[in-house]
Amino acid sequence: RPVCPGCSEFVLPDESSVNACGSVWHQEHFRCAATGVQLDSDYHEHEGMPYSEKAYFDLFGISCSTCGEVIKSDALSVLGQNWHPECFICQSSGLPISQDAEGNFVDWFEEAHMVYNKHEFGKLFGSRCHYCEELVVEDIRVTTPEINGVVVERSYHPECLRCIESGVVL
């Protein structure tokens, strides 16, 4: 005969019972482990104990890094932080981070644990290509020529770094 975890008494066949959390409970003893509120079939389990939804997420939920609300369904975990997928936005523009056809987030960059889309990251932290003058954000090629005795740092896209004399891409 099963023993009710709520009262440590046997659960008899003619008694109302609930099968939950790997145990059989007397119906009246199936309560939230945090608040004591009687539960029905709508509960969350943690370490073999039942919790109401509110208590469960208050105690064990993770908060979204953007909105601060508890994440109750899919969570995106990046850079040691958690987001609702819809809250994974550029910290500068507030625009959503782009996704590819499979739903993967693409063209996002991180600076000081802050997330940026490619355009905003380039504006804030990128440099201009010495050859084409467009923003260089990723796969940067840097040269440090000496001009009139001064070392100058120049950034290039890979396809823009060329030999000055022949024009051949290096």
Side-chain angles (χ1 to χ4, degrees):
R1 287 186 280 185
V3 174
C4 173
C7 68
S8 300
E9 298 287 328
F10 288 114
V11 178
L12 302 175
D14 62 338
E15 295 178 304
S16 294
S17 62
V18 176
N19 288 312
C21 303
S23 299
V24 179
W25 305 69
H26 288 114
Q27 177 102 30
E28 66 271 15
H29 296 145
F30 187 60
R31 298 180 173 276
C32 174
T35 65
V37 170
Q38 180 119 25
L39 298 171
D40 52 25
S41 60
D42 186 25
Y43 70 93
H44 292 270
E45 180 180 346
H46 182 76
E47 296 181 355
M49 297 302 291
Y51 292 86
S52 67
E53 181 172 301
K54 180 177 180 351
Y56 178 84
F57 285 111
D58 285 349
L59 293 169
F60 311 112
I62 54 175
S63 297
C64 176
S65 294
T66 297
C67 72
E69 296 292 317
V70 172
I71 301 171
K72 293 183 179 180
S73 58
D74 295 334
L76 175 65
S77 296
V78 179
L79 305 171
Q81 299 178 65
N82 301 290
W83 285 273
H84 295 105
E86 64 273 14
C87 290
F88 191 58
I89 60 173
C90 174
Q91 300 297 308
S92 177
S93 69
L95 296 172
I97 300 299
S98 300
Q99 291 179 281
D100 63 15
E102 287 83 43
N104 299 311
F105 290 96
V106 294
D107 291 334
W108 64 274
F109 298 85
E110 175 267 337
E111 179 67 32
H113 293 294
M114 306 269 292
V115 177
Y116 299 90
N117 64 31
K118 186 175 185 176
H119 177 74
E120 292 294 318
F121 185 84
K123 283 190 342 188
L124 295 168
F125 307 106
S127 55
R128 296 244 173 233
C129 176
H130 186 73
Y131 182 77
C132 72
E133 298 186 8
E134 294 292 320
L135 284 173
V136 183
V137 176
E138 51 191 339
D139 205 12
I140 299 171
R141 302 291 194 262
V142 177
T143 63
T144 52
E146 187 173 313
I147 302 171
N148 298 326
V150 178
V151 175
V152 178
E153 185 175 284
R154 292 183 174 167
S155 299
Y156 296 87
H157 295 104
E159 64 275 12
C160 292
L161 183 56
R162 304 164 181 266
C163 172
I164 293 173
E165 291 183 15
S166 68
V168 172
V169 176
L170 302 175

